[in-house]
């Protein structure tokens, strides 16, 4: 399984980027997808996750977001496009990191877990002051 991130780049503080996670030849619909990031010299941290919405009711909470990015980042998925997105607004220099998508091939998020079955190679986000 190959997870492919895209959408990273250089942006000024306060700007926005949208990251994408695709999986050619692999259907993401049934699986929770996670976004992690790792800044230079720091440990990898979980940013967000989204559970599968297959069979979910409208009342199910299917997304989780880290406190450090709450209110600025939004995770979503488009099953028709087989893609998961991370919309990042009001970016700050401390958001600079390599962003990775991953899956544990389970249907529901286990935010805080790092025990993933598959990882992408990452996309670099650089936020200038």
């Amino acid at each position: 399984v190959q997870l492919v991130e895209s959408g990273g780049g250089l942006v000024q503080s306060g700007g926005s980027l949208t990251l994408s996670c695709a999986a050619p030849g692999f259907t993401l619909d049934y699986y929770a997808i996670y976004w992690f990031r790792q800044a230079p010299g720091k440990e990898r941290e979980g940013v967000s996750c989204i559970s599968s919405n297959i069979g979910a009711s409208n009342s199910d909470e299917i997304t989780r977001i880290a406190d450090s990015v709450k209110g600025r980042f939004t995770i979503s998925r488009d099953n028709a496009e087989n893609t998961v997105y991370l919309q990042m607004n009001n970016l700050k220099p401390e958001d600079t990191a390599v962003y990775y998508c991953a899956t544990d091939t389970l249907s529901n998020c286990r935010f805080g877990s790092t025990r993933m079955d598959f990882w992408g190679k990452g996309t670099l986000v650089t936020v200038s002051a």
Side-chain angles (χ1 to χ4, degrees), residues 37 47 65 69 71-74 86-89 91 95 99:
R37 68 184 182 184
V47 175
I65 197 90
V69 302
R72 300 187 297 120
F73 290 14
T74 304
L86 185 68
Q87 173 67 43
M88 307 186 296
N89 297 326
L91 283 160
D95 296 317
Y99 285 72

Side-chain angles (χ1 to χ4, degrees), residues 79-98:
N79 290 346
E81 295 293 328
N82 199 38
T83 302
V84 172
Y85 301 98
L86 185 68
Q87 173 67 43
M88 307 186 296
N89 297 326
N90 191 21
L91 283 160
K92 304 176 181 181
E94 52 264 42
D95 296 317
T96 294
V98 177

Side-chain angles (χ1 to χ4, degrees), residues 69-124:
V69 302
K70 194 168 291 183
R72 300 187 297 120
F73 290 14
T74 304
I75 191 170
S76 63
R77 67 193 309 156
D78 184 334
N79 290 346
E81 295 293 328
N82 199 38
T83 302
V84 172
Y85 301 98
L86 185 68
Q87 173 67 43
M88 307 186 296
N89 297 326
N90 191 21
L91 283 160
K92 304 176 181 181
E94 52 264 42
D95 296 317
T96 294
V98 177
Y99 285 72
Y100 302 89
C101 68
T103 182
D104 56 8
T105 62
L106 299 174
S107 58
N108 293 322
C109 280
R110 286 159 173 76
F111 195 63
S113 171
T114 59
R115 298 179 65 180
M116 301 293 124
D117 292 324
F118 302 106
W119 292 85
K121 294 182 178 181
T123 185
L124 176 63

Side-chain angles (χ1 to χ4, degrees), residues 22-46:
F26 180 75
T27 301
L28 297 177
D29 301 7
Y30 295 96
Y31 305 114
I33 305 298
Y34 298 74
W35 284 100
F36 293 85
R37 68 184 182 184
Q38 187 164 20
K42 295 188 176 181
E43 292 187 356
R44 184 171 52 201
E45 67 168 326

